[in-house]
mmCIF file of all heavy atoms in Angstrom:
data_model
loop_
_atom_site.group_PDB
_atom_site.id
_atom_site.type_symbol
_atom_site.label_atom_id
_atom_site.label_comp_id
_atom_site.label_asym_id
_atom_site.label_seq_id
_atom_site.Cartn_x
_atom_site.Cartn_y
_atom_site.Cartn_z
ATOM 1 N N MET H 1 -14.160 -11.810 2.664
ATOM 2 C CA MET H 1 -13.908 -10.652 3.493
ATOM 3 C C MET H 1 -15.234 -9.964 3.782
ATOM 4 O O MET H 1 -15.985 -9.664 2.878
ATOM 5 C CB MET H 1 -12.954 -9.719 2.737
ATOM 6 C CG MET H 1 -12.542 -8.519 3.540
ATOM 7 S SD MET H 1 -11.349 -7.471 2.675
ATOM 8 C CE MET H 1 -9.983 -8.563 2.458
ATOM 9 N N ASN H 2 -15.507 -9.691 5.066
ATOM 10 C CA ASN H 2 -16.772 -9.059 5.409
ATOM 11 C C ASN H 2 -16.673 -7.529 5.323
ATOM 12 O O ASN H 2 -15.600 -6.973 5.135
ATOM 13 C CB ASN H 2 -17.257 -9.516 6.784
ATOM 14 C CG ASN H 2 -16.336 -9.084 7.911
ATOM 15 O OD1 ASN H 2 -15.743 -8.012 7.872
ATOM 16 N ND2 ASN H 2 -16.201 -9.923 8.921
ATOM 17 N N ASP H 3 -17.802 -6.846 5.469
ATOM 18 C CA ASP H 3 -17.841 -5.395 5.337
ATOM 19 C C ASP H 3 -16.953 -4.697 6.365
ATOM 20 O O ASP H 3 -16.305 -3.705 6.062
ATOM 21 C CB ASP H 3 -19.275 -4.871 5.475
ATOM 22 C CG ASP H 3 -20.134 -5.215 4.276
ATOM 23 O OD1 ASP H 3 -19.567 -5.462 3.192
ATOM 24 O OD2 ASP H 3 -21.366 -5.229 4.419
ATOM 25 N N GLU H 4 -16.907 -5.229 7.579
ATOM 26 C CA GLU H 4 -16.095 -4.609 8.623
ATOM 27 C C GLU H 4 -14.617 -4.635 8.243
ATOM 28 O O GLU H 4 -13.901 -3.651 8.405
ATOM 29 C CB GLU H 4 -16.305 -5.322 9.953
ATOM 30 C CG GLU H 4 -15.553 -4.675 11.111
ATOM 31 C CD GLU H 4 -15.795 -5.376 12.427
ATOM 32 O OE1 GLU H 4 -16.905 -5.879 12.640
ATOM 33 O OE2 GLU H 4 -14.858 -5.422 13.234
ATOM 34 N N GLN H 5 -14.130 -5.752 7.713
ATOM 35 C CA GLN H 5 -12.735 -5.852 7.307
ATOM 36 C C GLN H 5 -12.445 -4.915 6.138
ATOM 37 O O GLN H 5 -11.383 -4.327 6.067
ATOM 38 C CB GLN H 5 -12.397 -7.286 6.905
ATOM 39 C CG GLN H 5 -12.333 -8.230 8.079
ATOM 40 C CD GLN H 5 -12.182 -9.668 7.632
ATOM 41 O OE1 GLN H 5 -12.844 -10.112 6.696
ATOM 42 N NE2 GLN H 5 -11.296 -10.386 8.282
ATOM 43 N N GLN H 6 -13.364 -4.765 5.220
ATOM 44 C CA GLN H 6 -13.138 -3.910 4.064
ATOM 45 C C GLN H 6 -13.127 -2.438 4.438
ATOM 46 O O GLN H 6 -12.501 -1.642 3.755
ATOM 47 C CB GLN H 6 -14.206 -4.151 3.004
ATOM 48 C CG GLN H 6 -14.023 -5.455 2.271
ATOM 49 C CD GLN H 6 -15.011 -5.617 1.140
ATOM 50 O OE1 GLN H 6 -16.142 -5.163 1.231
ATOM 51 N NE2 GLN H 6 -14.574 -6.240 0.083
ATOM 52 N N ASN H 7 -13.794 -2.049 5.511
ATOM 53 C CA ASN H 7 -13.898 -0.652 5.886
ATOM 54 C C ASN H 7 -12.768 -0.174 6.795
ATOM 55 O O ASN H 7 -12.717 0.992 7.134
ATOM 56 C CB ASN H 7 -15.251 -0.382 6.552
ATOM 57 C CG ASN H 7 -16.387 -0.497 5.561
ATOM 58 O OD1 ASN H 7 -16.216 -0.236 4.385
ATOM 59 N ND2 ASN H 7 -17.543 -0.899 6.050
ATOM 60 N N LYS H 8 -11.870 -1.048 7.205
ATOM 61 C CA LYS H 8 -10.750 -0.655 8.052
ATOM 62 C C LYS H 8 -9.725 0.127 7.237
ATOM 63 O O LYS H 8 -9.574 -0.079 6.039
ATOM 64 C CB LYS H 8 -10.072 -1.882 8.657
ATOM 65 C CG LYS H 8 -10.888 -2.546 9.731
ATOM 66 C CD LYS H 8 -10.118 -3.673 10.353
ATOM 67 C CE LYS H 8 -10.922 -4.338 11.434
ATOM 68 N NZ LYS H 8 -10.204 -5.429 12.067
ATOM 69 N N VAL H 9 -9.013 1.012 7.928
ATOM 70 C CA VAL H 9 -7.926 1.739 7.285
ATOM 71 C C VAL H 9 -6.845 0.737 6.908
ATOM 72 O O VAL H 9 -6.548 -0.190 7.644
ATOM 73 C CB VAL H 9 -7.375 2.822 8.237
ATOM 74 C CG1 VAL H 9 -6.151 3.501 7.650
ATOM 75 C CG2 VAL H 9 -8.446 3.842 8.565
ATOM 76 N N TRP H 10 -6.244 0.926 5.766
ATOM 77 C CA TRP H 10 -5.248 0.002 5.232
ATOM 78 C C TRP H 10 -3.983 0.792 4.952
ATOM 79 O O TRP H 10 -4.054 1.952 4.517
ATOM 80 C CB TRP H 10 -5.824 -0.609 3.958
ATOM 81 C CG TRP H 10 -5.187 -1.868 3.493
ATOM 82 C CD1 TRP H 10 -5.189 -3.072 4.121
ATOM 83 C CD2 TRP H 10 -4.467 -2.058 2.281
ATOM 84 N NE1 TRP H 10 -4.533 -4.001 3.372
ATOM 85 C CE2 TRP H 10 -4.070 -3.399 2.226
ATOM 86 C CE3 TRP H 10 -4.122 -1.221 1.238
ATOM 87 C CZ2 TRP H 10 -3.341 -3.924 1.179
ATOM 88 C CZ3 TRP H 10 -3.403 -1.752 0.187
ATOM 89 C CH2 TRP H 10 -3.018 -3.080 0.158
ATOM 90 N N SER H 11 -2.805 0.224 5.166
ATOM 91 C CA SER H 11 -1.568 0.965 4.919
ATOM 92 C C SER H 11 -0.519 0.103 4.241
ATOM 93 O O SER H 11 -0.551 -1.130 4.336
ATOM 94 C CB SER H 11 -1.005 1.523 6.223
ATOM 95 O OG SER H 11 -0.527 0.498 7.046
ATOM 96 N N VAL H 12 0.389 0.772 3.556
ATOM 97 C CA VAL H 12 1.547 0.133 2.938
ATOM 98 C C VAL H 12 2.750 1.046 3.148
ATOM 99 O O VAL H 12 2.610 2.216 3.496
ATOM 100 C CB VAL H 12 1.355 -0.115 1.418
ATOM 101 C CG1 VAL H 12 0.232 -1.080 1.153
ATOM 102 C CG2 VAL H 12 1.159 1.179 0.659
ATOM 103 N N TRP H 13 3.930 0.495 2.928
ATOM 104 C CA TRP H 13 5.168 1.254 3.014
ATOM 105 C C TRP H 13 5.707 1.424 1.600
ATOM 106 O O TRP H 13 5.838 0.449 0.866
ATOM 107 C CB TRP H 13 6.171 0.522 3.891
ATOM 108 C CG TRP H 13 5.731 0.432 5.313
ATOM 109 C CD1 TRP H 13 4.896 -0.499 5.852
ATOM 110 C CD2 TRP H 13 6.051 1.335 6.356
ATOM 111 N NE1 TRP H 13 4.688 -0.232 7.174
ATOM 112 C CE2 TRP H 13 5.384 0.885 7.516
ATOM 113 C CE3 TRP H 13 6.838 2.472 6.433
ATOM 114 C CZ2 TRP H 13 5.496 1.544 8.737
ATOM 115 C CZ3 TRP H 13 6.950 3.120 7.655
ATOM 116 C CH2 TRP H 13 6.283 2.658 8.778
ATOM 117 N N ILE H 14 6.011 2.658 1.221
ATOM 118 C CA ILE H 14 6.502 2.955 -0.123
ATOM 119 C C ILE H 14 7.915 3.510 -0.015
ATOM 120 O O ILE H 14 8.151 4.516 0.644
ATOM 121 C CB ILE H 14 5.588 3.959 -0.854
ATOM 122 C CG1 ILE H 14 4.181 3.374 -0.980
ATOM 123 C CG2 ILE H 14 6.172 4.310 -2.215
ATOM 124 C CD1 ILE H 14 3.162 4.337 -1.561
ATOM 125 N N ASP H 15 8.850 2.833 -0.674
ATOM 126 C CA ASP H 15 10.241 3.278 -0.731
ATOM 127 C C ASP H 15 10.472 3.845 -2.126
ATOM 128 O O ASP H 15 10.577 3.095 -3.104
ATOM 129 C CB ASP H 15 11.189 2.112 -0.452
ATOM 130 C CG ASP H 15 12.640 2.544 -0.336
ATOM 131 O OD1 ASP H 15 13.040 3.511 -1.019
ATOM 132 O OD2 ASP H 15 13.376 1.912 0.440
ATOM 133 N N GLU H 16 10.518 5.159 -2.224
ATOM 134 C CA GLU H 16 10.652 5.804 -3.528
ATOM 135 C C GLU H 16 12.049 5.620 -4.120
ATOM 136 O O GLU H 16 12.197 5.574 -5.336
ATOM 137 C CB GLU H 16 10.295 7.285 -3.409
ATOM 138 C CG GLU H 16 8.817 7.483 -3.092
ATOM 139 C CD GLU H 16 8.438 8.932 -2.870
ATOM 140 O OE1 GLU H 16 9.332 9.784 -2.733
ATOM 141 O OE2 GLU H 16 7.228 9.208 -2.838
ATOM 142 N N ALA H 17 13.083 5.493 -3.276
ATOM 143 C CA ALA H 17 14.444 5.302 -3.769
ATOM 144 C C ALA H 17 14.610 3.928 -4.412
ATOM 145 O O ALA H 17 15.215 3.800 -5.477
ATOM 146 C CB ALA H 17 15.449 5.484 -2.634
ATOM 147 N N LYS H 18 14.063 2.901 -3.747
ATOM 148 C CA LYS H 18 14.172 1.529 -4.265
ATOM 149 C C LYS H 18 13.012 1.156 -5.172
ATOM 150 O O LYS H 18 13.015 0.090 -5.776
ATOM 151 C CB LYS H 18 14.227 0.528 -3.105
ATOM 152 C CG LYS H 18 15.484 0.632 -2.281
ATOM 153 C CD LYS H 18 15.453 -0.410 -1.178
ATOM 154 C CE LYS H 18 16.697 -0.361 -0.328
ATOM 155 N NZ LYS H 18 16.665 -1.343 0.757
ATOM 156 N N LYS H 19 12.003 2.034 -5.236
ATOM 157 C CA LYS H 19 10.791 1.791 -6.023
ATOM 158 C C LYS H 19 10.134 0.469 -5.625
ATOM 159 O O LYS H 19 9.893 -0.411 -6.442
ATOM 160 C CB LYS H 19 11.080 1.835 -7.529
ATOM 161 C CG LYS H 19 11.337 3.232 -8.030
ATOM 162 C CD LYS H 19 11.209 3.279 -9.529
ATOM 163 C CE LYS H 19 11.007 4.720 -9.943
ATOM 164 N NZ LYS H 19 10.439 4.832 -11.246
ATOM 165 N N THR H 20 9.869 0.342 -4.303
ATOM 166 C CA THR H 20 9.194 -0.840 -3.796
ATOM 167 C C THR H 20 7.990 -0.454 -2.947
ATOM 168 O O THR H 20 7.953 0.625 -2.359
ATOM 169 C CB THR H 20 10.137 -1.711 -2.939
ATOM 170 O OG1 THR H 20 10.615 -0.930 -1.848
ATOM 171 C CG2 THR H 20 11.291 -2.266 -3.754
ATOM 172 N N VAL H 21 7.038 -1.367 -2.889
ATOM 173 C CA VAL H 21 5.848 -1.224 -2.058
ATOM 174 C C VAL H 21 5.728 -2.502 -1.243
ATOM 175 O O VAL H 21 5.838 -3.603 -1.778
ATOM 176 C CB VAL H 21 4.581 -1.055 -2.929
ATOM 177 C CG1 VAL H 21 3.351 -0.914 -2.057
ATOM 178 C CG2 VAL H 21 4.714 0.122 -3.880
ATOM 179 N N THR H 22 5.520 -2.368 0.074
ATOM 180 C CA THR H 22 5.400 -3.536 0.930
ATOM 181 C C THR H 22 4.392 -3.273 2.049
ATOM 182 O O THR H 22 4.138 -2.121 2.378
ATOM 183 C CB THR H 22 6.769 -3.937 1.535
ATOM 184 O OG1 THR H 22 6.612 -5.114 2.314
ATOM 185 C CG2 THR H 22 7.362 -2.841 2.377
ATOM 186 N N ILE H 23 3.833 -4.329 2.609
ATOM 187 C CA ILE H 23 2.911 -4.159 3.732
ATOM 188 C C ILE H 23 3.670 -4.211 5.060
ATOM 189 O O ILE H 23 3.099 -3.934 6.095
ATOM 190 C CB ILE H 23 1.774 -5.212 3.728
ATOM 191 C CG1 ILE H 23 2.326 -6.621 3.786
ATOM 192 C CG2 ILE H 23 0.877 -5.007 2.535
ATOM 193 C CD1 ILE H 23 1.274 -7.688 4.029
ATOM 194 N N LYS H 24 4.966 -4.531 5.014
ATOM 195 C CA LYS H 24 5.791 -4.589 6.210
ATOM 196 C C LYS H 24 6.545 -3.274 6.379
ATOM 197 O O LYS H 24 6.950 -2.646 5.405
ATOM 198 C CB LYS H 24 6.805 -5.729 6.110
ATOM 199 C CG LYS H 24 6.172 -7.095 6.051
ATOM 200 C CD LYS H 24 7.222 -8.165 5.945
ATOM 201 C CE LYS H 24 6.597 -9.542 5.834
ATOM 202 N NZ LYS H 24 7.618 -10.566 5.689
ATOM 203 N N GLU H 25 6.763 -2.887 7.638
ATOM 204 C CA GLU H 25 7.525 -1.672 7.909
ATOM 205 C C GLU H 25 8.907 -1.807 7.285
ATOM 206 O O GLU H 25 9.541 -2.856 7.366
ATOM 207 C CB GLU H 25 7.644 -1.454 9.414
ATOM 208 C CG GLU H 25 8.308 -0.160 9.754
ATOM 209 C CD GLU H 25 8.293 0.143 11.239
ATOM 210 O OE1 GLU H 25 7.617 -0.582 11.992
ATOM 211 O OE2 GLU H 25 8.953 1.105 11.628
ATOM 212 N N SER H 26 9.350 -0.745 6.640
ATOM 213 C CA SER H 26 10.617 -0.780 5.926
ATOM 214 C C SER H 26 11.396 0.505 6.214
ATOM 215 O O SER H 26 10.832 1.601 6.141
ATOM 216 C CB SER H 26 10.339 -0.906 4.428
ATOM 217 O OG SER H 26 11.523 -0.885 3.693
ATOM 218 N N PRO H 27 12.701 0.379 6.551
ATOM 219 C CA PRO H 27 13.492 1.578 6.810
ATOM 220 C C PRO H 27 13.540 2.472 5.562
ATOM 221 O O PRO H 27 13.569 1.979 4.439
ATOM 222 C CB PRO H 27 14.880 1.052 7.142
ATOM 223 C CG PRO H 27 14.813 -0.417 7.081
ATOM 224 C CD PRO H 27 13.460 -0.834 6.637
ATOM 225 N N LYS H 28 13.524 3.755 5.782
ATOM 226 C CA LYS H 28 13.603 4.761 4.720
ATOM 227 C C LYS H 28 12.385 4.787 3.803
ATOM 228 O O LYS H 28 12.391 5.447 2.777
ATOM 229 C CB LYS H 28 14.888 4.616 3.907
ATOM 230 C CG LYS H 28 16.143 4.802 4.733
ATOM 231 C CD LYS H 28 17.372 4.732 3.890
ATOM 232 C CE LYS H 28 18.611 4.870 4.764
ATOM 233 N NZ LYS H 28 19.833 4.740 3.996
ATOM 234 N N ALA H 29 11.361 4.029 4.133
ATOM 235 C CA ALA H 29 10.119 4.044 3.352
ATOM 236 C C ALA H 29 9.087 4.842 4.137
ATOM 237 O O ALA H 29 9.182 4.957 5.355
ATOM 238 C CB ALA H 29 9.614 2.630 3.110
ATOM 239 N N LYS H 30 8.131 5.418 3.432
ATOM 240 C CA LYS H 30 7.094 6.149 4.154
ATOM 241 C C LYS H 30 5.811 5.334 4.167
ATOM 242 O O LYS H 30 5.477 4.650 3.199
ATOM 243 C CB LYS H 30 6.868 7.532 3.554
ATOM 244 C CG LYS H 30 6.253 7.558 2.195
ATOM 245 C CD LYS H 30 6.029 9.000 1.765
ATOM 246 C CE LYS H 30 5.371 9.022 0.395
ATOM 247 N NZ LYS H 30 5.113 10.355 -0.073
ATOM 248 N N GLN H 31 5.132 5.406 5.289
ATOM 249 C CA GLN H 31 3.881 4.669 5.445
ATOM 250 C C GLN H 31 2.754 5.522 4.862
ATOM 251 O O GLN H 31 2.629 6.704 5.172
ATOM 252 C CB GLN H 31 3.611 4.354 6.909
ATOM 253 C CG GLN H 31 2.446 3.428 7.110
ATOM 254 C CD GLN H 31 2.272 3.015 8.566
ATOM 255 O OE1 GLN H 31 2.737 3.684 9.469
ATOM 256 N NE2 GLN H 31 1.599 1.906 8.773
ATOM 257 N N VAL H 32 1.953 4.900 4.020
ATOM 258 C CA VAL H 32 0.837 5.578 3.377
ATOM 259 C C VAL H 32 -0.442 4.853 3.785
ATOM 260 O O VAL H 32 -0.501 3.625 3.753
ATOM 261 C CB VAL H 32 0.994 5.569 1.840
ATOM 262 C CG1 VAL H 32 -0.165 6.253 1.167
ATOM 263 C CG2 VAL H 32 2.309 6.237 1.441
ATOM 264 N N PHE H 33 -1.458 5.620 4.155
ATOM 265 C CA PHE H 33 -2.723 5.059 4.610
ATOM 266 C C PHE H 33 -3.804 5.245 3.553
ATOM 267 O O PHE H 33 -3.825 6.260 2.855
ATOM 268 C CB PHE H 33 -3.176 5.744 5.911
ATOM 269 C CG PHE H 33 -2.262 5.472 7.062
ATOM 270 C CD1 PHE H 33 -1.195 6.312 7.327
ATOM 271 C CD2 PHE H 33 -2.459 4.370 7.871
ATOM 272 C CE1 PHE H 33 -0.345 6.066 8.388
ATOM 273 C CE2 PHE H 33 -1.625 4.121 8.940
ATOM 274 C CZ PHE H 33 -0.556 4.964 9.202
ATOM 275 N N PHE H 34 -4.675 4.255 3.449
ATOM 276 C CA PHE H 34 -5.795 4.290 2.509
ATOM 277 C C PHE H 34 -7.086 4.030 3.271
ATOM 278 O O PHE H 34 -7.083 3.321 4.275
ATOM 279 C CB PHE H 34 -5.621 3.226 1.418
ATOM 280 C CG PHE H 34 -4.357 3.390 0.627
ATOM 281 C CD1 PHE H 34 -3.245 2.630 0.919
ATOM 282 C CD2 PHE H 34 -4.283 4.317 -0.394
ATOM 283 C CE1 PHE H 34 -2.070 2.777 0.196
ATOM 284 C CE2 PHE H 34 -3.115 4.478 -1.115
ATOM 285 C CZ PHE H 34 -2.001 3.709 -0.828
ATOM 286 N N GLU H 35 -8.173 4.589 2.792
ATOM 287 C CA GLU H 35 -9.466 4.415 3.448
ATOM 288 C C GLU H 35 -9.952 2.973 3.391
ATOM 289 O O GLU H 35 -10.703 2.537 4.245
ATOM 290 C CB GLU H 35 -10.513 5.318 2.804
ATOM 291 C CG GLU H 35 -10.284 6.782 3.066
ATOM 292 C CD GLU H 35 -11.335 7.654 2.421
ATOM 293 O OE1 GLU H 35 -12.408 7.152 2.045
ATOM 294 O OE2 GLU H 35 -11.073 8.852 2.296
ATOM 295 N N SER H 36 -9.527 2.248 2.361
ATOM 296 C CA SER H 36 -9.941 0.851 2.224
ATOM 297 C C SER H 36 -8.891 0.081 1.439
ATOM 298 O O SER H 36 -8.027 0.672 0.781
ATOM 299 C CB SER H 36 -11.286 0.753 1.507
ATOM 300 O OG SER H 36 -11.147 1.124 0.154
ATOM 301 N N ARG H 37 -8.984 -1.236 1.505
ATOM 302 C CA ARG H 37 -8.061 -2.090 0.753
ATOM 303 C C ARG H 37 -8.228 -1.861 -0.749
ATOM 304 O O ARG H 37 -7.251 -1.833 -1.494
ATOM 305 C CB ARG H 37 -8.321 -3.561 1.109
ATOM 306 C CG ARG H 37 -7.340 -4.511 0.473
ATOM 307 C CD ARG H 37 -7.614 -5.954 0.920
ATOM 308 N NE ARG H 37 -6.614 -6.858 0.441
ATOM 309 C CZ ARG H 37 -6.597 -7.392 -0.776
ATOM 310 N NH1 ARG H 37 -7.554 -7.115 -1.618
ATOM 311 N NH2 ARG H 37 -5.636 -8.216 -1.143
ATOM 312 N N GLU H 38 -9.451 -1.671 -1.194
ATOM 313 C CA GLU H 38 -9.718 -1.465 -2.617
ATOM 314 C C GLU H 38 -9.006 -0.216 -3.136
ATOM 315 O O GLU H 38 -8.366 -0.253 -4.189
ATOM 316 C CB GLU H 38 -11.219 -1.338 -2.852
ATOM 317 C CG GLU H 38 -11.591 -1.183 -4.315
ATOM 318 C CD GLU H 38 -13.091 -1.086 -4.511
ATOM 319 O OE1 GLU H 38 -13.856 -1.732 -3.773
ATOM 320 O OE2 GLU H 38 -13.481 -0.358 -5.423
ATOM 321 N N ILE H 39 -9.085 0.874 -2.398
ATOM 322 C CA ILE H 39 -8.401 2.107 -2.802
ATOM 323 C C ILE H 39 -6.892 1.896 -2.787
ATOM 324 O O ILE H 39 -6.172 2.328 -3.690
ATOM 325 C CB ILE H 39 -8.809 3.272 -1.883
ATOM 326 C CG1 ILE H 39 -10.285 3.601 -2.079
ATOM 327 C CG2 ILE H 39 -7.941 4.504 -2.137
ATOM 328 C CD1 ILE H 39 -10.863 4.561 -1.051
ATOM 329 N N GLY H 40 -6.400 1.203 -1.756
ATOM 330 C CA GLY H 40 -4.968 0.920 -1.662
ATOM 331 C C GLY H 40 -4.471 0.079 -2.818
ATOM 332 O O GLY H 40 -3.424 0.369 -3.403
ATOM 333 N N MET H 41 -5.208 -0.960 -3.155
ATOM 334 C CA MET H 41 -4.791 -1.825 -4.266
ATOM 335 C C MET H 41 -4.791 -1.071 -5.585
ATOM 336 O O MET H 41 -3.900 -1.257 -6.422
ATOM 337 C CB MET H 41 -5.694 -3.061 -4.348
ATOM 338 C CG MET H 41 -5.484 -4.051 -3.218
ATOM 339 S SD MET H 41 -3.780 -4.651 -3.083
ATOM 340 C CE MET H 41 -3.629 -5.556 -4.605
ATOM 341 N N ASP H 42 -5.750 -0.195 -5.786
ATOM 342 C CA ASP H 42 -5.791 0.620 -7.003
ATOM 343 C C ASP H 42 -4.545 1.505 -7.075
ATOM 344 O O ASP H 42 -3.900 1.594 -8.128
ATOM 345 C CB ASP H 42 -7.066 1.458 -7.024
ATOM 346 C CG ASP H 42 -7.217 2.240 -8.315
ATOM 347 O OD1 ASP H 42 -7.106 1.614 -9.401
ATOM 348 O OD2 ASP H 42 -7.446 3.470 -8.246
ATOM 349 N N SER H 43 -4.181 2.117 -5.962
ATOM 350 C CA SER H 43 -2.992 2.971 -5.924
ATOM 351 C C SER H 43 -1.715 2.170 -6.152
ATOM 352 O O SER H 43 -0.810 2.612 -6.865
ATOM 353 C CB SER H 43 -2.909 3.693 -4.581
ATOM 354 O OG SER H 43 -4.011 4.549 -4.419
ATOM 355 N N ILE H 44 -1.640 0.969 -5.565
ATOM 356 C CA ILE H 44 -0.471 0.114 -5.751
ATOM 357 C C ILE H 44 -0.339 -0.294 -7.214
ATOM 358 O O ILE H 44 0.753 -0.283 -7.779
ATOM 359 C CB ILE H 44 -0.537 -1.113 -4.829
ATOM 360 C CG1 ILE H 44 -0.317 -0.669 -3.383
ATOM 361 C CG2 ILE H 44 0.484 -2.173 -5.232
ATOM 362 C CD1 ILE H 44 -0.584 -1.744 -2.360
ATOM 363 N N MET H 45 -1.441 -0.633 -7.845
ATOM 364 C CA MET H 45 -1.388 -1.028 -9.264
ATOM 365 C C MET H 45 -0.898 0.129 -10.132
ATOM 366 O O MET H 45 -0.166 -0.090 -11.108
ATOM 367 C CB MET H 45 -2.755 -1.536 -9.731
ATOM 368 C CG MET H 45 -3.190 -2.824 -9.047
ATOM 369 S SD MET H 45 -1.928 -4.132 -9.023
ATOM 370 C CE MET H 45 -1.757 -4.452 -10.758
ATOM 371 N N LYS H 46 -1.247 1.344 -9.780
ATOM 372 C CA LYS H 46 -0.743 2.507 -10.516
ATOM 373 C C LYS H 46 0.764 2.644 -10.339
ATOM 374 O O LYS H 46 1.475 2.956 -11.294
ATOM 375 C CB LYS H 46 -1.460 3.779 -10.062
ATOM 376 C CG LYS H 46 -2.895 3.843 -10.541
ATOM 377 C CD LYS H 46 -3.614 5.065 -10.012
ATOM 378 C CE LYS H 46 -5.073 5.052 -10.446
ATOM 379 N NZ LYS H 46 -5.846 6.125 -9.823
ATOM 380 N N LEU H 47 1.255 2.398 -9.127
ATOM 381 C CA LEU H 47 2.697 2.448 -8.899
ATOM 382 C C LEU H 47 3.418 1.342 -9.661
ATOM 383 O O LEU H 47 4.485 1.566 -10.242
ATOM 384 C CB LEU H 47 3.006 2.342 -7.400
ATOM 385 C CG LEU H 47 2.637 3.562 -6.559
ATOM 386 C CD1 LEU H 47 2.829 3.245 -5.070
ATOM 387 C CD2 LEU H 47 3.491 4.767 -6.937
ATOM 388 N N VAL H 48 2.848 0.148 -9.669
ATOM 389 C CA VAL H 48 3.445 -0.980 -10.398
ATOM 390 C C VAL H 48 3.547 -0.646 -11.891
ATOM 391 O O VAL H 48 4.550 -0.930 -12.538
ATOM 392 C CB VAL H 48 2.646 -2.286 -10.156
ATOM 393 C CG1 VAL H 48 3.075 -3.371 -11.116
ATOM 394 C CG2 VAL H 48 2.831 -2.743 -8.709
ATOM 395 N N SER H 49 2.528 0.004 -12.413
ATOM 396 C CA SER H 49 2.558 0.377 -13.834
ATOM 397 C C SER H 49 3.648 1.422 -14.111
ATOM 398 O O SER H 49 4.065 1.594 -15.261
ATOM 399 C CB SER H 49 1.199 0.885 -14.302
ATOM 400 O OG SER H 49 0.926 2.168 -13.769
ATOM 401 N N LYS H 50 4.134 2.095 -13.049
ATOM 402 C CA LYS H 50 5.212 3.078 -13.189
ATOM 403 C C LYS H 50 6.580 2.480 -12.876
ATOM 404 O O LYS H 50 7.562 3.193 -12.796
ATOM 405 C CB LYS H 50 4.957 4.261 -12.271
ATOM 406 C CG LYS H 50 3.745 5.079 -12.656
ATOM 407 C CD LYS H 50 3.535 6.212 -11.681
ATOM 408 C CE LYS H 50 2.290 7.002 -12.049
ATOM 409 N NZ LYS H 50 2.053 8.101 -11.086
ATOM 410 N N GLY H 51 6.623 1.146 -12.653
ATOM 411 C CA GLY H 51 7.898 0.485 -12.434
ATOM 412 C C GLY H 51 8.196 0.061 -11.007
ATOM 413 O O GLY H 51 9.256 -0.483 -10.726
ATOM 414 N N TYR H 52 7.275 0.302 -10.071
ATOM 415 C CA TYR H 52 7.490 -0.119 -8.687
ATOM 416 C C TYR H 52 7.309 -1.635 -8.589
ATOM 417 O O TYR H 52 6.551 -2.225 -9.335
ATOM 418 C CB TYR H 52 6.501 0.563 -7.753
ATOM 419 C CG TYR H 52 6.902 1.981 -7.372
ATOM 420 C CD1 TYR H 52 6.815 3.010 -8.290
ATOM 421 C CD2 TYR H 52 7.352 2.272 -6.092
ATOM 422 C CE1 TYR H 52 7.171 4.307 -7.960
ATOM 423 C CE2 TYR H 52 7.712 3.569 -5.739
ATOM 424 C CZ TYR H 52 7.630 4.567 -6.674
ATOM 425 O OH TYR H 52 7.980 5.853 -6.343
ATOM 426 N N LYS H 53 8.037 -2.228 -7.644
ATOM 427 C CA LYS H 53 7.940 -3.669 -7.391
ATOM 428 C C LYS H 53 7.274 -3.884 -6.043
ATOM 429 O O LYS H 53 7.427 -3.097 -5.128
ATOM 430 C CB LYS H 53 9.320 -4.304 -7.414
ATOM 431 C CG LYS H 53 9.996 -4.214 -8.770
ATOM 432 C CD LYS H 53 11.182 -5.112 -8.813
ATOM 433 C CE LYS H 53 11.966 -5.113 -10.086
ATOM 434 N NZ LYS H 53 11.472 -4.598 -11.270
ATOM 435 N N ILE H 54 6.564 -4.995 -5.920
ATOM 436 C CA ILE H 54 5.944 -5.373 -4.660
ATOM 437 C C ILE H 54 6.887 -6.341 -3.963
ATOM 438 O O ILE H 54 7.302 -7.335 -4.557
ATOM 439 C CB ILE H 54 4.553 -6.011 -4.902
ATOM 440 C CG1 ILE H 54 3.647 -4.998 -5.569
ATOM 441 C CG2 ILE H 54 3.978 -6.511 -3.585
ATOM 442 C CD1 ILE H 54 2.312 -5.548 -5.999
ATOM 443 N N GLY H 55 7.229 -6.038 -2.721
ATOM 444 C CA GLY H 55 8.142 -6.936 -2.052
ATOM 445 C C GLY H 55 8.491 -6.545 -0.668
ATOM 446 O O GLY H 55 8.111 -5.636 -0.071
#
């Protein structure tokens, strides 16, 4: 991954009711934006440690 790809805004969809995180648009989930993939992955790992599933 080059520097340009790493510096793009990155987003995921978080469904708090189902406790899921996905990169695809999901009904009833809210889209969350991160400054970089690295920041997003760190946040996702924190959610996973709280019981969220990736899917």
Side-chain angles (χ1 to χ4, degrees):
M1 184 177 299
N2 65 35
D3 289 338
E4 184 179 326
Q5 288 172 317
Q6 286 185 326
N7 291 330
K8 288 185 180 180
V9 174
W10 199 65
S11 69
V12 296
W13 294 84
I14 300 174
D15 187 328
E16 293 176 348
K18 293 181 179 179
K19 287 197 161 200
T20 59
V21 180
T22 183
I23 59 170
K24 296 180 182 178
E25 185 173 351
S26 177
K28 299 183 182 177
K30 68 177 181 179
Q31 188 174 22
V32 179
F33 294 91
F34 301 99
E35 291 180 17
S36 69
R37 185 177 186 278
E38 183 179 325
I39 294 169
M41 289 303 294
D42 185 51
S43 297
I44 289 170
M45 294 311 296
K46 288 176 183 173
L47 289 173
V48 168
S49 72
K50 293 179 182 179
Y52 279 72
K53 296 193 181 344
I54 298 173

